[in-house]
Each structure stands twice: as C-alpha cells, then as structure tokens.
C-alpha cells in the first residue's frame, strides 16, 4: 500500500527531525555546575579543607558505589531512597547514600583502630526533586574513630564545626547540643517505658517545626503516652541555655536527673566537654538544649545540630554526634566514633547569593589577555608563551575587531590587555592596557612580559 | 521435631557468627584512596589545575550519571561496558563512561558557542578487573569548543599537554601527532577505497604494539586489502620525525600528498600548528608520525598521543584530537571542539612510586603535637587552641606514656612537640621539642605559641 508507506515515511521524517532538534537533558534532581558555581565551590572547599588540615585530619576517598549488602540495614525506612545499579552480571551494587557508612566500612575492612578523616563527596538519594531536593548532592563529613579519653574527639569535632561556620562566614548560628543518655534519662524520669524511648525521641525531634501541643497530640494519640507523662516531657524539654548554666541547673540539689544513673554519666561527660570548649573559646555558640533529639537511631552519646539564627536563613546547616556501634556492625569489633556532617549545598547557595550581591564572581583567574588585532596565531603563540613562562595567567584572542577583544576582557574581568596591531608589529612595540584604570602605555616587545609581571606582582 | 529445631538453631548461630566475623568488601575493580594516596592525588591535582588556570580554563562538573539516551550511540562496541542504574521507576540512567560526551551534552544543552573547560572526575566502565583495569577511575580532560582561527585551540591544547607533562615530571615523553585528513589522504593515495578508511585505520592503530607484518596480514586476510596497497601503506607509515622536517619532506616536489586535496589542507593546517608550537618552545617533544591513527571514530582533524620513552614506563599517558561533530549529535548545531585526556591514574601510580622511593609521603601537614602527659582534656584544649588561633596546624594527644607521644609524632612526621607533664604544669612552663634536631627547650606557657610560630615561619 503506497499511501501507508508514504505515511510511515512522513512520520519517520518528523520523528527524526525532532530527534535532531530536541535538546539533550540531564536526569531529574541532578545539576551541572557551571564555571561561576565551580569558582564558588572551590572557594568553599578551600576554606573547609583548610580547617581540616589545621587539625591534622586526613582525606579519604571511597567508591561512588558500594556492595548493596554494605548499605542494607543502615538507614531504616530511608533505604527505599537508595539507587541500585542494574544487575548486569556479577555483584549487586548501590550508589552511596551518605559518607558515614562507607567510612565505617573502610575502618572495619582495614582493621583500623583510630582515624581522623574528612571526605567531601557526592551522595545519592532517590528523593522527590519537586520538593527542591537534589538526587545527587555533596556532603562534607568530618569524623574521628578510635578509643580516646572521655570527650577528647567530641571536643575536637565541635571545635572544628565552630571553625568551619566562623570561617565560611555565611550567617549567625547556634549549635544546639544534647546527650542521648541524658535524653533517655529524661524519658525514664518522666515515666516513658524503655521500649518507647526511640519513638518518643522522633516525636520530640519535631519540636523545631511543631508546637508542643502538636507533638503532645502525637505522643498521646499515636504513641500511647499518658497525658501526665507528656506534660512532664513538655516541661523538661523547655530547658535550654548557656551550657555551663544549664549544667548547674540540672545538677542542683533536688534535681531528678541526679537520681538517674544514665543522666549522671551524661552530665559528667558534658562537664568535661563544656569546660574544654570554654578554654578553646568555642562555647559562646553552644546552646545546651534538652529538646534536641536527632532522628537517627545510631547515636549513642553527644548529639548536636547547627542552625542559623534570624529570619531569612532557617534550618539546620550541620549535624552530628557520637555513634559507637556502627563500625562494629561490619567487623564485630567495636570502634567508637564521633563526627559531623556539614550541609555544604546550603553553604554553596548562601555563598553564591553573597557573591552575586557583591558582583564578585570570576570564573577564571586570567591576568592578561593577549589581543592580536588580526589572525596571526604564530605571533600570538610567541607573545602569550612569554607570559606563561613568566608565570602570568594569560589568554590570547585573534580577531580584527578590537571591540570583541575589549568585550571579552571586560566580561571575563581580565585586568590587563596586551594590544598588538599592524603599527605595533612594525614598530616592535606592544600596547599595555589597564582596563580598570583605562590607561595605556607602549612598551618594547622584548620586555613586555617583565613589565607586566612587575605591575601585577607589585602593583 | 526438637532435633530439627536444634539443628536449625545451630545453623542459624553459625551463619550469624560468620556474618559478624566476615569483613566487609568493596565492589570489584574499585578502590579506597587512603591518606597517603590522597596526599599524592591532591599534589597531582594542584599541579594540573595550576596549568589549566594559567590558560584561563574554567572548571565544569556534571552528574555522575546521565540519561541513558545521552550515552547511546557514542561508544560503538564499548557500549557494553556502560554501567546502567536499575530501573526503579522514572528515567533510565547510566554512569558516565567518559567526560567527553557529558561535555558535548553540556555545550549542546546550554546552547554554548565557546568554552574552554577542564574536568577531573571519575568515570565508570564494566571492564575486566583481572586485567589490572579499574571499573572506577579518574579522567582529566581539557577541551576547547567553539569557532576559532585555524589551529588556534589545537595549538593551546597541545601546549597545555606539554606543560602538564613537564610540570608533573613523571618521565621523558614524546607526543606523536598526525592529522585524520592526512591519514585519509594517505589511504586514498595507496588505493584504499573510502568505505574502508576507518577499518584500515584501526589496523594501523595497532602498529605501536604489533609488527608491520602482523598488521599487513590483518589488512590482507581480514580486510580485503591488496598486497600492493598494504605495502604502500607500510612504506608511508614509516614516515616520522621532527614536525617541520617531516612537513618539508611531505611537501617536496613530486610528493604524492601534494596531489591530494585533503592532504594539502591537512599539511597547511599543520604548518600553522607547528610554527605556533615552535614559537611557544613546545615543538621539541612533538614527533610527526604517519602511523598514528587513534581508534575512536569521532576525530576529524589533528590527533595526538603522548607516550613515555625508555624501558620501564611503556604506553600512552595522554591522547586527544579534534572532534567537530560530537556536539552536533545532540543539538543539531555544530560546535567544533578539540581536547585531550590525561591518563591520571597512571600519573598517580608513577608519583606514588617516586614519593615512596624518596620516602617523602606525609598524609597530614601537622606542625605541632601538643603532648599532654596525662588525661587533662581541658588543659589540652586550652593549649592547642592557642596554636590553632595562631594559625599553626596542630594536633593534641592525651596519654601518660611519653613513648606513645613520641611514636605518634615520628610516624606522622610532625616536626615539633609541646610536652606538658606534672613539672611543667606546676612551673608554668612547657617543653618544646624539635624532633629532627633532637633539641628541647623550656618556654613560658604564656608565650609558647608565639615562640613556635617564630620558629616555624622563620626557621
């Protein structure tokens, strides 16, 4: 049937044309980082790694995918967000969900007894991108594994966190801090049965977003906690303030916490931690807050969360705590650990905003543009190589239109131009142009690189 | 049946015990990079990005996985090595196989007309790990996309390649260079029919590993090339040498290349390239080599490959060329491009070897260890914070055994120790110990940070 063949050909043509015209896409929830974003990201990374190196932390890199069995049983309900690789024969693998489990796997696999490491890397979650969440995003983790004196690594992790947030300079913040054993002690005191500790904790964890009335309703209606117990909890979680003051308060005569073994242990540990942070001038940002619960099950000691203060920047920027049992899940040999994870995507976003307001983003560091008013690549090669040899960051451009040279230099924020046209070539000179100052001068071609170096290094 | 229950319990116990004892693994063909390796890697990255920034290249980051359709039809037979993500609902995605296709996709998607970018990132191939190949490994790519004067970006890419290899200082090398149009011209001159150009090229590509006799056999027996044609090819591919000399040779009166349009174009382009490289002092490492063919189909102009000279380090360390049609495969709009990919895993391996021989690898940059001979965290916090505040990279350690302090400082290569025991505490002094010089001195606790800063910054 010729009409059918003709129709099929027509459809084929339309489909093929569309295929050619259709622009390519990237997967939902992922992004490219373009040149300006990369410049900001590198700036943030350099501040962050600077802090880590100040503390003698080492860097670790792990594969982007792990054996699926490594990730199983670590994330509870969130396991459904794990990206699996297709079964193409061989092992079953999944993309990493965070950096903590690969760290624990590494410590266990290599039978390491102590390690202070940082890792800045992408993690993967099949989350709903419509909520503004990314499916591929950076995490920045700092952890110390090993047996130390009481609060020794806990102190350093919190000190590092304050240094990170101070040096990144992205907003006023406070670090809410609590202790899992104190939290459990509090629930015991209020009359919560031990088997309900974790589920009550996840209700308390919502107090930063919900009123106590809402949380109480959940405790009573859904979790079977009595009205009286819920009110007792509501009373105690209000306790918050400067760490050493709250500590005194909780330890004063008649405090119910002093009759609770777990709480006493926690308060003794916190005393050492607070005094150490005080000596390190790092206690000013800490708020001892009995309402801080943290969702994750694996925490066993101190827990903390950094939040922005003020109206525009809401929410958590970093969080962490002590987890003494995770490494043991892999090797059977317990290696206690404590760490913090910085929400670095938020750091990027804030820094991007700041830099845009200051109009300061430069994607390159180019110092000089060699502008050949013509098409002579060989001349360009000679001149620009002299700059490269002199350690000057330089680009070159060939075009007869001087406006294009100027436009390029201005758009890229390049401070100096070397202009070379017909007259310069015949006279053996080149013209140096300082764009900010709108000044030009002619110098001998034989010495322009040295003159520029002088101007750039000793302005 | 109680015996069966007991047996099942027994089996369960053994399985569970084994599970606890079994050490975790990582996927085949992947690696963790530990602290010493990371130190070397960061050193290599800093040299490499230094070169790129010298040329005004911008950094780009793309997602680790792309839509599967983006990768399809780009890698020929090697497509079977692509890692797919599992179909968990939603889009079909695959891990990136190289950095060139994501770059072309980025340029097309964002309708970019020119871009000079570098990217250092991991790529994924389901290759056979038993051949010593990794399934996750770094690539380091530098590409320039856009319409420029003849050979303008080609010159810069090759210049960058020489700077990379010179500055990494990992061995003597040469850069073999050829031109696809010259290669096709050569085949035409020898009498190869156009439809066999690519398949003959892949045979020629084997000349670095096989003798001409072996390649000739393949050409004649498998690819249907006549003996006479094969011998003509064998004669011409021997041509190699200093670029400007070979160029003269190929252009001299009576050269068959001068009667072939494609070859004439190629030789004219190469003349500009070689003269530019000559002016940039970068021609010394280039060998114009008519046997260089490069396997990949997508090259359209200049092609090159850097190889180590000498006996121990064999094989290709970097390769690249001009590919003018790849971006157009995505958007329908052609954006010509040229680039190079550095085999950075090999760079790591050689640098690791070099550093091990020099016994120079330090995983941290720690300058001072604060050694508290005791368990006083609060004292440690006070002293070490003074060092951090003074911008000194410092760690602290609490233990009554002075040997443990010394061992740690020595193993970590930390040059200075601050020793604080009972006597120092009571006298208000601390002891500074220089490990390399085996010298000790006592200084006031109030000024030890300043004294150390002086010693470290003005030794």
């Amino acid at each position: 049937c010729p009409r059918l063949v003709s129709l099929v050909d027509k459809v084929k043509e339309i489909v093929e044309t569309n295929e050619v015209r259709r622009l390519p896409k990237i997967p939902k929830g992922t992004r490219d980082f373009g040149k300006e974003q990369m410049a900001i990201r590198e700036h943030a990374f350099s501040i962050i790694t600077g802090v880590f190196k100040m503390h003698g932390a080492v860097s670790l890199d792990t594969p982007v995918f792990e054996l699926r069995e490594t990730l199983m049983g670590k994330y509870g309900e969130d396991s459904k967000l794990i990206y699996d690789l297709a079964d193409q024969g061989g092992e079953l693998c999944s993309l990493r969900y965070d950096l903590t489990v690969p760290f624990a796997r590494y410590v266990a696999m290599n039978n390491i007894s102590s390690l202070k490491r940082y890792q800045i890397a992408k993690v993967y979650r099949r989350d709903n991108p419509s909520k503004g969440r990314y499916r591929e995003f950076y995490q920045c983790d700092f952890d110390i594994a090993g047996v130390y004196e009481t609060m020794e690594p806990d102190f350093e992790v919190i000190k590092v966190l304050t240094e990170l947030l101070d040096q990144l300079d992205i907003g006023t913040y406070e670090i809410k801090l609590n202790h899992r054993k104190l939290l459990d002690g509090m629930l015991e005191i209020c009359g919560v049965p031990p088997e309900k500790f974790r589920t009550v904790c996840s209700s308390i964890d919502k107090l930063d977003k919900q009123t106590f009335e809402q949380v109480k309703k959940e405790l009573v209606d859904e979790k079977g906690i009595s009205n009286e117990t819920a009110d007792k909890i509501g009373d105690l979680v209000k306790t918050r303030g400067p760490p050493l003051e709250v500590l005194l308060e909780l330890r004063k005569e008649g405090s119910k916490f002093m009759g609770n073994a777990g709480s006493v242990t926690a308060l003794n540990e916190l005393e050492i931690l607070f005094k150490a942070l005080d000596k390190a001038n790092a206690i000013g940002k800490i708020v001892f807050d009995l309402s801080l619960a943290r969702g994750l099950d694996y925490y066993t000691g101190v827990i903390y969360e950094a939040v922005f203060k003020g109206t525009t920047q809401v929410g958590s920027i970093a969080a962490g705590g002590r987890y003494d049992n995770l490494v043991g899940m892999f090797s059977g040999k317990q290696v206690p650990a404590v760490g913090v994870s910085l929400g670095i995507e938020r750091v990027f976003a804030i820094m991007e905003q700041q830099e845009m307001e200051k109009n300061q983003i430069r994607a390159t560091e180019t110092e000089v543009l060699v502008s050949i008013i013509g098409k002579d690549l060989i001349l360009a090669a000679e001149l620009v190589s002299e700059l490269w040899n002199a350690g000057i960051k330089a680009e070159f451009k060939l075009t007869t239109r001087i406006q294009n040279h100027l436009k390029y230099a201005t758009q890229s924020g390049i401070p100096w131009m070397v202009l070379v046209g017909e007259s310069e070539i015949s006279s053996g000179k080149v013209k140096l142009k300082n764009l900010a100052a709108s000044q030009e001068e002619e110098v001998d071609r034989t010495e322009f690189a040295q003159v520029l170096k002088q101007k750039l290094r000793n302005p």
Side-chain angles (χ1 to χ4, degrees), chain A:
Chain A
C1 169
R3 285 185 56 194
L4 189 62
V5 170
S6 146
L7 183 66
V8 168
D9 280 351
K10 191 88 190 163
V11 167
K12 195 159 165 264
E13 192 197 317
I14 290 169
V15 168
E16 281 172 355
T17 317
N18 274 342
E19 262 176 12
V20 168
R21 288 209 191 128
R22 194 179 58 196
L23 283 178
K25 290 184 296 187
I26 48 172
K28 278 189 195 125
T30 69
R31 289 164 297 169
D32 296 312
F33 285 87
K35 55 187 182 179
E36 283 89 3
Q37 289 166 306
M38 286 301 283
I40 287 164
R41 215 173 82 174
E42 282 169 16
H43 178 57
F45 284 171
S46 114
I47 292 173
I48 292 166
T49 53
V51 169
F52 293 148
K53 281 173 201 251
M54 191 62 86
H55 288 258
V58 298
S59 183
L60 170 70
D61 187 33
T62 59
V64 81
F65 51 83
E66 297 274 348
L67 292 181
R68 198 165 300 164
E69 62 189 56
T70 299
L71 305 191
M72 288 301 107
K74 307 297 185 306
Y75 302 108
E77 266 189 27
D78 286 345
S79 294
K80 65 179 188 295
L81 301 182
I82 292 174
Y83 269 105
D84 292 331
L85 294 191
D87 181 1
Q88 294 171 290
E91 303 157 317
L92 295 178
C93 298
S94 302
L95 297 184
R96 64 182 162 215
Y97 181 85
D98 66 9
L99 302 176
T100 313
V101 166
F103 171 64
R105 189 268 306 150
Y106 175 80
V107 169
M109 187 173 121
N110 296 283
N111 200 22
I112 287 167
S113 56
S114 78
L115 182 63
K116 188 196 292 182
R117 86 88 180 78
Y118 68 91
Q119 185 169 6
I120 307 177
K122 287 174 177 176
V123 300
Y124 299 86
R125 298 184 185 177
R126 292 179 45 258
D127 218 327
N128 193 345
S130 68
K131 290 184 190 161
R133 291 194 188 124
Y134 292 110
R135 294 178 154 197
E136 175 188 59
F137 58 95
Y138 270 94
Q139 284 202 334
C140 171
D141 281 28
F142 173 70
D143 294 81
I144 304 177
V147 176
Y148 292 89
E149 293 301 323
T150 305
M151 293 292 114
E152 188 180 346
D154 311 68
F155 154 71
E156 191 162 25
V157 170
I158 296 169
K159 171 73 175 154
V160 161
L161 175 57
T162 63
E163 289 180 13
L164 286 175
L165 294 174
D166 288 343
Q167 292 190 27
L168 286 168
D169 194 21
I170 45 173
T172 356
Y173 67 91
E174 64 180 28
I175 298 171
K176 297 192 278 185
L177 187 147
N178 200 359
H179 195 298
R180 265 284 159 89
K181 289 202 177 79
L182 187 69
L183 203 57
D184 289 354
M186 179 184 84
L187 299 181
E188 203 178 329
I189 289 163
C190 296
V192 176
E195 70 274 13
K196 290 192 179 171
F197 281 2
R198 288 286 78 79
T199 183
V200 170
C201 269
S202 28
S203 301
I204 294 176
D205 196 42
K206 296 175 184 163
L207 276 173
D208 55 345
K209 295 189 190 79
Q210 300 182 0
T211 64
F212 179 69
E213 288 314 306
Q214 289 170 303
V215 170
K216 184 181 170 185
K217 197 170 182 315
E218 180 176 310
L219 285 174
V220 174
D221 295 356
E222 293 172 32
K223 306 206 165 162
I225 301 298
S226 74
N227 248 308
E228 197 195 341
T229 295
D231 283 336
K232 277 186 189 165
I233 293 173
D235 202 37
L236 285 176
V237 293
K238 280 186 211 145
T239 317
R240 80 190 305 271
L244 289 163
E245 287 175 30
V246 173
L247 190 74
L248 263 181
E249 170 86 16
L250 297 181
R251 276 174 156 183
K252 74 176 177 209
E253 235 188 280
S255 161
K256 286 178 187 136
F257 287 98
M258 295 313 285
N260 177 282
S263 300
V264 169
T265 306
L267 292 171
N268 289 344
E269 290 185 4
L270 290 175
E271 180 184 3
I272 298 172
L273 175 66
F274 293 157
K275 285 184 174 166
L277 287 169
D278 188 29
K279 289 287 184 192
N281 286 318
I283 202 150
K285 301 285 171 54
I286 316 285
V287 177
F288 188 0
D289 186 332
L290 288 199
S291 75
L292 181 74
R294 304 282 303 132
L296 277 169
D297 278 2
Y298 59 56
Y299 288 121
T300 54
V302 175
I303 48 177
Y304 32 82
E305 186 174 317
V307 292
F308 282 122
K309 292 168 79 170
T311 45
T312 50
Q313 296 157 345
V314 200
S316 159
I317 182 77
R322 174 166 282 279
Y323 51 97
D324 285 346
N325 304 327
L326 193 57
V327 176
M329 287 176 75
F330 288 109
S331 62
K333 180 184 146 195
Q334 295 291 357
V335 182
V338 54
V340 67
S341 184
L342 177 70
I344 196 171
E345 295 287 346
R346 183 161 256 170
V347 171
F348 295 154
I350 296 168
M351 286 180 92
E352 225 171 284
Q353 189 69 34
Q354 286 177 342
E355 299 292 312
M356 263 166 55
E357 280 164 14
K358 288 189 280 181
N359 199 18
Q360 271 185 345
I361 312 182
R362 264 198 79 187
T364 70
E365 297 168 12
T366 307
E367 297 166 303
V368 180
L369 177 67
V370 175
S371 298
I372 308 290
I373 323 293
K375 301 185 170 189
D376 190 346
L377 175 63
I378 296 153
L379 176 64
E382 183 179 0
L383 294 175
V384 73
S385 292
E386 282 190 40
L387 296 177
W388 291 331
N389 283 341
I392 295 169
K393 299 187 183 87
E395 296 178 56
F396 65 96
K397 197 171 173 65
L398 305 177
T399 163
T400 50
R401 299 193 52 191
I402 192 152
Q403 280 313 314
N404 289 355
H405 287 289
L406 282 166
K407 193 175 151 196
Y408 183 78
T410 309
Q411 280 176 350
S412 307
I414 301 174
W416 285 92
M417 292 174 79
V418 177
L419 290 155
V420 192
E422 290 290 336
S423 70
E424 283 82 11
I425 294 167
S426 57
S427 67
K429 305 250 177 193
V430 298
K431 198 182 276 170
L432 307 187
K433 184 181 175 74
N434 181 317
L435 277 120
S438 269
Q439 282 173 343
E440 292 185 2
E441 62 178 293
E442 284 204 335
V443 297
D444 267 11
R445 220 176 99 171
T446 49
E447 54 190 32
F448 85 104
Q450 286 316 309
V451 172
L452 270 171
K453 191 161 186 177
Q454 190 75 15
K455 287 178 187 291
L456 285 161
R457 304 292 176 254
N458 314 294

